[in-house]
Amino acid sequence: MFIIDTISNFAKSVIIKKIYMEYNFNEIEKKWQKYWKKNKTYKTEIDHSKPKHYVLDMFPYPSGAGLHVGHPLGYIASDIYARYKKQRGFNILHPMGYDAFGLPAEQYAIQTGQHPEKTTKKNISRYREQLDRIGFSYDWDRQICTCDPKYYKWTQWTFIKLYKYYFNNVTQKAEPISDLISKFERSGNLDVDAASDPIHEFTAVGWRKADEREKQEILMKYRLAYLSETMVNWCPKLGTVLANDEVKEGYSVRGGYPVVRKKMNQWFLRVTAYAERLLRGLDKIDWQDNLKEIQRNWIGKSEGATIFFKIKDSEHSIEVFTTRPDTVFGATFMVLAPEHELIKEICTEDYKQNVNEYIEQSFKRSERERMAETKSVTGQFTGAYCEHPFTKEAIPIYVADYVLAGYGTGAIMSVPAHDSRDHLFAKKFNIPIKKVVDGPDIEDESYDGTEGTMINSDFINNMDVNTAIKTVTEKLENSNLGKYKVNYRIRDAIFSRQRYWGEPFPVYYKEGIPYVLDEKELPLELPKVDKYLPTESGDPPLARAKNWKTKDGYPLDFNTMPGFAGSSAYYIRYMDPQNDKEPVSKEAVEYWRDVDMYVGGAEHATGHLVYARFWNKFLYDIGVVVEDEPFKKLINQGMIQGRSNFVYRIKGTNKFVSYNLKKNHDTIPVHVDVNIVDSDILDVEAFKKWNPEYKDAEFILEDGKYICGWEVEKMSKSYHNVVNPDDLIDKYGADTLRVYEMFLGPIEQAKPWDTNGLEGAFRFIKRFWRIFHDEKGNLDVSSEKANKEELKLLHKTIKKVNEDIEKFAFNTAISTFMTLLNKLYELNCNKEEVLKPFVVMLSPFAPHISEELWCKLGHSNSVVFAEYPKYDENYIEDDSVVYPVSFNGKMRFKLEVDAGTEQEEIKKLVMEDEKSKKWIEGKDVKKIIVVPGKIVNVVV
RNA sequence: GCGGAUGUGGCGGAAUUGGUAGACGCGCUAGACUUAGGAUCUAGUGCCGCAAGGCGUGGGGGUUCGACUCCCUCCAUCCGCACCA
């Protein structure tokens, strides 16, 4: 007790000190973080006596802005899971690293001339500081960093392998190019069924006659990493080419700069070769269904047929792909994509000018424009006709940009009666519409369905659609007019970037022909350049490097690899990060195998998660890894949204009106820094200081307070709603932050951040601390045996928490802890028999306080190594059951009976009960339903 | 347009397999201890109603003794893909 008769700062500081004496999270957290580091508590080694469990976070790009509270959400979840699994007897691999190549550092380098490595290193150490304060159980000795030459050596190594392998469609796996060469030498490419660019057939003689350049050109069409000229998404502002998924609505995803289409020579990865395996692999892995669906969509498999339409008065034919070969008799015109190579050849003199103009026009239209006009169709007749494969009728050929060059064959047979876009086109150009599937009227709208029988269709008349598809396809194959075909929407990934801050290609050019370096020469390190910009002649920044040549003097490639190169196989390097002889040792990969639990953002659904699966499958084929799929289970954490606060400025003044009074004024909402708002009440003085503009601001208050409005938005600097974890840790401690982030709601769901709620988690942690102590702050734990009720509570908690952690439902696990703690206070229970297992259970969530209490309870080893409490169902058996008794489904009262009471007996008890009378009065009891252990329902 | 998800108090969210809707927490109200409290504790808190009671899980309909949960339909919000032949 202390008596203070005047208010003084001294008194306050004494009181604050007292609170800190109770639970000084600052000191405790620092102490244990130091302990973990010193004792290498989280060091992981291969241990064949234990089952392995690999828990992985998507590694971050270390941006200059540091972490906000949304970033660690997934890390906290996976950390809890990893710590829990460890206490359950697993040997845990739980590493962290950095995806360190990337545009922002390079942009910064362009602006300041500072080497991106320098900024990257600085950002990494800032990230590390922030991560360390949250108390993660990473084995930092395994840290990797994609921009480290020791790491990217293996990215380059894999590229060389991809270059030296092709995909055999028959075996459905990657095989060495050298095997392909021996096949060519034996019998040309006649017997080869491999993933390749379009290629003409050649014989063994043809192969042997070819010179080096021709041979290399042929091989290039088969390699899994290949150089090819294509239309690319060129971003002039960034001076680089972007992959399709890096472009959104005609603008770059990073930076938001315009993107145009341009023809260039680029490195590609033949991802399409693995399309079927990428698709089938999804059935074997435990990912959220919506995510698998996105990937299926992305791969875009469709079955159908290719059909050749012979062009009149020409050698050529047009190959089309269709999923509806049954409608072939309804094809009344053909459409080629503007990029189609045959257009120039077949176009007649009369139409040449119009066609050329149309093509030019459509090239000019950006992706965005093309998308905006999906309702209208444009096109141009070429003057040419082709022949229907069965009826031999003449069919006009059009060019139109609703047909995409990159999908199927870039040409379609148009069946206006049964395809809505074709219908639109036919109407516009007055082309006949021929109905071939019996069904709804097709005058105003096409009938795209597959219910109905064939009409006007020669040999398939009266068949149903599915039989017709089969019959037509067979006929096409038998008469060499076409064949069965599976088509995929997924495209090969462009792998070159005209940037500096990425992995250099281990490629040199000899007489213009590309060759890869010998593996022994890796890593090929990034050279120094004077500027991080393209050269005056438009070459990428690497062209500025002095002596950018092999030791024999051949020029090296100027491109660097894209962001997904370094992130595609990082999980493998964590298994054996220091190995400089091979990507991963046999022993390590055979022990750790694959990632058991992968946690990260859903924004990588189509990028990283497709490329990494592709990359892994290739490494599997060449025997580097032992699992075909890299990520067995995957959880997407939802975004944490910001909760913005607003003040309402009366138009044309510097006067602000409180939220509930604003309707009386003409106001504009202004974002205000959430850090000067508490429970939506504005700190008026802080507001005045916040921005010089507001230093003379006036306020119209309500109840003496200024109430702010609020809205859920993205967490962003520009909305002034960013909350920094460091500030919260200073104020509440890391354990509170961890508990609160998990308590917020289901991990997969997007949810708004609200700092006010943090108090609840803080109270829980403080109450947890206090139950171990007396008023003086001394440890006070009873060694008395726990009674039946207490044990029942404990074991119910163990059961529920186990179930919840296994399914990543941390929010309900925490509320279970809160309930247990509340009950223990009610029961006045501070018995070690209950509290000890409680500490162990809570330690994955709040590791620092748990370590401290564990230590205080007399343990010399870290709680990390403690055994997880075992659930015993004998403790939770009840002697009696409380039945909710409902009448017509509405619960009216509760009835306690002994466990094991017969149903008939329960019915009798209910009917005899005083409280029942009121509800039965004047009505007939029709039926009584007793669900054992659950409920009684009386139907009246 | 196609595909997917979500909709529950003032707020974040619970609810096993169809069986007590609103656990747990925030906020709020009242009180206790206090010179004081951004500490702690106690009680209350879905809505309407003095009460008895009634109404309540986006709207409407259905199945069932019983529906947040299953079925049909409509609406809203979010995400992914976007002329995919």
Side-chain angles (χ1 to χ4, degrees):
Chain A
M1 279 298 286
F2 46 94
I3 300 151
I4 307 163
D5 45 15
T6 52
I7 307 162
S8 68
N9 283 335
F10 170 74
K12 274 191 180 161
S13 78
V14 167
I15 293 159
I16 288 164
K17 218 169 185 179
K18 193 195 168 222
I19 294 162
Y20 274 60
M21 263 165 62
E22 278 182 16
Y23 166 52
N24 188 342
F25 52 84
N26 246 317
E27 204 172 277
I28 292 170
E29 291 180 358
K30 247 182 241 144
K31 169 181 163 187
W32 288 102
Q33 283 165 10
K34 214 164 120 193
Y35 174 93
W36 296 330
K37 199 168 183 181
K38 192 176 142 220
N39 293 282
K40 289 204 180 284
T41 306
Y42 305 118
K43 175 114 188 113
T44 302
E45 308 276 12
I46 291 173
D47 178 354
H48 291 283
S49 70
K50 282 181 181 171
K52 69 97 187 184
H53 206 81
Y54 188 172
V55 182
L56 181 65
D57 294 301
M58 287 186 188
F59 62 167
Y61 174 80
S63 82
L67 296 170
H68 68 59
V69 288
H71 294 121
L73 184 81
Y75 304 156
I76 295 170
S78 62
D79 194 60
I80 290 167
Y81 187 76
R83 286 171 179 272
Y84 163 82
K85 280 283 176 187
K86 188 169 192 152
Q87 290 176 330
R88 297 290 304 249
F90 288 88
N91 189 25
I92 300 295
L93 180 56
H94 186 44
M96 186 44 108
Y98 304 97
D99 186 16
F101 277 132
L103 279 186
E106 180 157 345
Q107 287 291 56
Y108 190 72
I110 291 168
Q111 283 161 24
T112 62
Q114 200 172 100
H115 196 286
E117 192 182 350
K118 220 172 150 185
T119 28
T120 304
K121 278 203 167 135
K122 206 176 104 209
N123 291 347
I124 285 177
S125 67
R126 167 102 181 93
Y127 260 63
R128 178 64 190 278
E129 261 169 51
Q130 287 190 296
L131 291 172
D132 278 347
R133 291 198 65 193
I134 304 172
F136 292 119
S137 63
Y138 297 124
D139 176 2
W140 283 108
D141 289 350
R142 289 175 184 264
Q143 169 183 315
I144 51 133
C145 184
T146 55
C147 67
D148 181 349
K150 287 199 222 81
Y151 176 87
Y152 69 67
K153 172 179 176 178
W154 299 106
T155 310
Q156 292 171 329
W157 180 89
T158 310
F159 175 84
I160 291 175
K161 292 291 182 198
L162 284 160
Y163 176 88
K164 288 182 172 172
Y165 276 77
Y166 78 105
F167 191 83
N168 185 336
N169 284 334
V170 180
T171 55
Q172 276 288 304
K173 62 185 284 233
E175 288 171 13
I177 282 282
S178 53
D179 289 6
L180 192 65
I181 295 172
S182 28
K183 280 186 195 169
F184 288 167
E185 277 165 355
R186 239 179 295 126
S187 50
N189 69 350
L190 303 176
D191 302 332
V192 172
D193 180 6
S196 73
D197 291 351
I199 189 162
H200 295 289
E201 292 187 340
F202 57 85
T203 60
V205 178
W207 172 256
R208 270 180 252 129
K209 267 199 211 149
D211 61 20
E212 170 67 7
R213 178 178 299 273
E214 288 164 340
K215 280 183 177 172
Q216 286 302 328
E217 275 168 10
I218 288 169
L219 291 175
M220 195 57 98
K221 290 183 191 291
Y222 288 92
R223 298 182 191 278
L224 285 172
Y226 64 97
L227 197 60
S228 173
E229 191 181 62
T230 50
M231 287 294 229
V232 293
N233 302 307
W234 173 253
C235 181
K237 191 85 193 212
L238 296 173
T240 190
V241 162
L242 301 170
N244 281 322
D245 46 294
E246 289 173 311
V247 185
K248 212 171 180 181
E249 293 178 10
Y251 290 86
S252 62
V253 171
R254 269 191 184 170
Y257 305 111
V259 176
V260 295
R261 294 170 58 70
K262 187 179 169 186
K263 208 159 202 178
M264 278 181 88
N265 228 6
Q266 299 288 319
W267 284 103
F268 280 82
L269 296 187
R270 208 176 294 282
V271 180
T272 51
Y274 282 85
E276 188 62 30
R277 275 174 63 188
L278 287 169
L279 188 65
R280 269 187 294 154
L282 291 172
D283 298 332
K284 296 185 292 196
I285 50 185
D286 186 7
W287 294 11
Q288 273 155 23
D289 283 336
N290 60 344
L291 204 96
K292 288 194 197 179
E293 207 48 45
I294 290 172
Q295 291 223 339
R296 283 195 192 102
N297 220 300
W298 191 255
I299 296 164
K301 181 180 182 174
S302 54
E303 261 178 291
T306 58
I307 308 178
F308 289 97
F309 285 73
K310 204 187 155 321
I311 297 164
K312 293 233 175 195
D313 312 317
S314 161
E315 314 272 277
H316 300 289
S317 7
I318 298 173
E319 185 185 8
V320 304
F321 172 71
T322 176
T323 55
R324 293 289 302 276
D326 58 307
T327 61
V328 67
F329 290 97
T332 53
F333 61 102
M334 309 288 292
V335 183
L336 305 181
E339 292 89 346
H340 202 283
E341 49 184 11
L342 279 179
I343 295 173
K344 286 204 178 80
E345 301 231 16
I346 61 165
C347 184
T348 62
E349 277 309 316
D350 307 352
Y351 289 93
K352 216 154 222 158
Q353 200 187 336
N354 283 348
V355 166
N356 280 341
E357 271 171 24
Y358 180 77
I359 293 173
E360 229 171 88
Q361 189 103 65
S362 69
F363 281 171
K364 259 192 244 155
R365 289 169 73 195
S366 67
E367 292 271 323
R368 179 163 241 210
E369 281 171 317
R370 277 175 76 158
M371 268 192 285
E373 293 169 29
T374 52
K375 290 285 170 281
S376 68
V377 235
T378 61
Q380 172 62 45
F381 181 45
T382 60
Y385 290 85
C386 63
E387 203 172 71
H388 190 281
F390 297 122
T391 67
K392 307 294 176 200
E393 271 172 63
I395 302 175
I397 303 169
Y398 286 76
V399 48
D401 64 8
Y402 81 88
V403 172
L404 306 175
Y407 184 78
T409 59
I412 60 164
M413 64 170 203
S414 292
V415 184
H418 305 292
D419 181 284
S420 48
R421 291 147 307 163
D422 295 347
H423 193 272
L424 220 59
F425 195 87
K427 280 271 175 189
K428 184 162 176 179
F429 290 88
N430 272 319
I431 306 168
I433 297 172
K434 187 179 164 195
K435 190 173 187 176
V436 290
V437 180
D438 203 14
D441 182 56
I442 45 96
E443 190 43 46
D444 296 328
E445 213 177 21
S446 65
Y447 171 59
D448 299 11
T450 53
E451 302 274 307
T453 53
M454 307 309 299
I455 52 171
N456 302 324
S457 292
D458 196 354
F459 62 91
I460 50 170
N461 274 333
N462 297 322
M463 289 182 185
D464 64 79
V465 167
N466 285 331
T467 317
I469 289 174
K470 236 183 263 160
T471 312
V472 170
T473 309
E474 271 165 30
K475 180 100 173 185
L476 287 169
E477 290 192 337
N478 293 339
S479 45
N480 257 335
L481 291 167
K483 59 182 173 206
Y484 169 82
K485 168 104 193 257
V486 177
N487 194 55
Y488 298 93
R489 198 191 73 108
I490 193 170
R491 292 188 221 172
D492 287 344
I494 300 176
F495 203 58
S496 312
R497 296 291 182 274
Q498 291 64 49
R499 307 293 302 192
Y500 175 75
W501 193 226
E503 301 86 346
F505 280 86
V507 171
Y508 64 94
Y509 294 84
K510 197 155 125 190
E511 284 154 40
I513 305 169
Y515 295 92
V516 290
L517 293 178
D518 194 291
E519 288 163 26
K520 283 196 245 30
E521 293 178 54
L522 298 180
L524 174 64
E525 292 198 30
L526 254 181
K528 284 206 164 47
V529 291
D530 56 342
K531 263 193 224 161
Y532 303 98
L533 288 168
T535 62
E536 280 64 36
S537 53
D539 281 325
L542 290 195
R544 293 176 174 276
K546 278 194 200 115
N547 215 15
W548 187 235
K549 290 180 183 128
T550 65
K551 51 184 188 298
D552 302 327
Y554 296 112
L556 289 159
D557 199 297
F558 292 152
N559 294 289
T560 54
M561 298 184 194
F564 68 83
S567 60
S568 284
Y570 72 109
Y571 54 92
I572 296 163
R573 284 298 286 173
Y574 282 136
M575 298 175 184
D576 194 8
Q578 312 303 338
N579 195 331
D580 61 355
K581 302 276 180 304
E582 53 199 337
V584 59
S585 73
K586 269 265 148 313
E587 195 202 2
V589 78
E590 275 172 7
Y591 180 73
W592 297 113
R593 308 192 75 83
D594 55 2
V595 176
D596 295 278
M597 178 61 80
Y598 195 24
V599 180
E603 65 273 20
H604 298 108
T606 52
H608 163 61
L609 288 173
V610 172
Y611 299 130
R613 290 181 61 222
F614 157 78
W615 201 281
N616 183 82
K617 282 176 190 301
F618 172 70
L619 292 176
Y620 175 73
D621 287 351
I622 67 170
V624 173
V625 299
V626 293
E627 294 285 349
D628 184 43
E629 284 290 339
F631 313 122
K632 220 183 280 173
K633 190 170 167 93
L634 179 113
I635 299 236
N636 283 122
Q637 91 260 25
M639 247 212 322
I640 291 211
Q641 297 149 310
R643 187 181 187 278
S644 308
N645 275 116
F646 296 90
V647 291
Y648 300 90
R649 183 182 205 147
I650 299 173
K651 273 189 188 162
T653 69
N654 205 5
K655 209 169 193 176
F656 296 83
V657 57
S658 186
Y659 179 75
N660 295 302
L661 304 173
K662 76 180 163 83
K663 51 186 174 292
N664 307 324
H665 304 270
D666 189 11
T667 61
I668 3 171
V670 179
H671 277 96
V672 60
D673 188 347
V674 293
N675 296 300
I676 58 170
V677 178
D678 186 15
S679 301
D680 293 332
I681 300 165
L682 179 71
D683 182 338
V684 171
E685 290 311 312
F687 178 71
K688 286 181 179 172
K689 277 183 218 140
W690 179 51
N691 188 326
E693 197 189 330
Y694 304 134
K695 90 174 163 352
D696 299 318
E698 294 173 68
F699 303 90
I700 302 176
L701 306 177
E702 52 182 305
D703 300 332
K705 290 177 249 170
Y706 188 98
I707 312 285
C708 297
W710 62 274
E711 220 169 276
V712 173
E713 293 177 302
K714 212 182 122 204
M715 197 171 275
S716 156
K717 243 184 184 165
S718 57
Y719 297 142
H720 302 293
N721 60 6
V722 176
V723 182
N724 183 320
D726 299 309
D727 298 343
L728 299 178
I729 290 171
D730 286 340
K731 219 165 149 188
Y732 300 98
D735 285 334
T736 296
L737 179 73
R738 290 171 63 111
V739 166
Y740 182 57
E741 291 225 4
M742 292 300 100
F743 185 62
L744 226 44
I747 191 92
E748 322 83 340
Q749 236 168 65
K751 55 223 162 244
W753 177 264
D754 183 6
T755 302
N756 291 327
L758 202 61
E759 295 285 347
F762 191 41
R763 263 171 224 154
F764 165 70
I765 291 285
K766 281 187 291 189
R767 269 160 67 82
F768 183 66
W769 176 264
R770 249 185 302 124
I771 204 163
F772 287 82
H773 297 88
D774 60 20
E775 294 92 57
K776 291 190 187 110
N778 297 318
L779 189 76
D780 179 19
V781 172
S782 157
S783 55
E784 207 182 314
K785 274 246 154 256
N787 63 33
K788 211 171 166 187
E789 192 181 0
E790 290 158 351
L791 286 172
K792 188 165 130 191
L793 265 171
L794 175 69
H795 282 269
K796 273 189 167 169
T797 305
I798 296 173
K799 181 169 190 269
K800 173 75 174 142
V801 169
N802 286 0
E803 286 166 2
D804 285 350
I805 295 179
E806 294 287 352
K807 58 182 187 194
F808 259 58
F810 301 116
N811 55 330
T812 46
I814 290 166
S815 61
T816 308
F817 286 137
M818 288 173 167
T819 308
L820 174 63
L821 187 62
N822 290 346
K823 294 266 172 62
L824 292 179
Y825 269 103
E826 261 170 53
L827 296 170
N828 245 321
C829 167
N830 65 341
K831 295 173 184 166
E832 185 169 0
E833 198 183 343
V834 179
L835 293 185
K836 210 167 98 175
F838 196 176
V839 170
V840 179
M841 273 194 288
L842 193 68
S843 68
F845 294 80
H848 309 88
I849 190 174
S850 306
E851 285 280 26
E852 181 71 15
L853 291 170
W854 188 247
C855 175
K856 280 187 151 190
L857 287 174
H859 300 272
S860 53
N861 208 354
S862 163
V863 71
V864 168
F865 305 107
E867 202 187 325
Y868 204 81
K870 285 207 171 58
Y871 163 63
D872 185 343
E873 63 177 334
N874 292 321
Y875 290 116
I876 66 166
E877 268 167 23
D878 291 300
D879 302 336
S880 67
V881 187
V882 176
Y883 278 97
V885 180
S886 45
F887 292 80
N888 289 344
K890 287 237 180 282
M891 203 280 286
R892 297 301 179 184
F893 63 88
K894 285 174 189 171
L895 182 73
E896 186 169 2
V897 301
D898 291 340
T901 309
E902 293 295 319
Q903 287 200 26
E904 288 309 313
E905 180 67 19
I906 293 170
K907 284 183 189 175
K908 216 171 92 195
L909 286 168
V910 168
M911 291 314 289
E912 281 167 0
D913 199 288
E914 267 300 302
K915 285 167 276 187
S916 295
K917 291 213 171 73
K918 181 175 168 189
W919 301 102
I920 297 168
E921 216 161 52
K923 292 165 201 151
D924 291 338
V925 174
K926 282 201 186 131
K927 205 170 168 189
I928 302 176
I929 294 146
V930 177
V931 184
K934 290 265 162 98
I935 197 168
V936 179
N937 192 19
V938 184
V939 187
V940 295

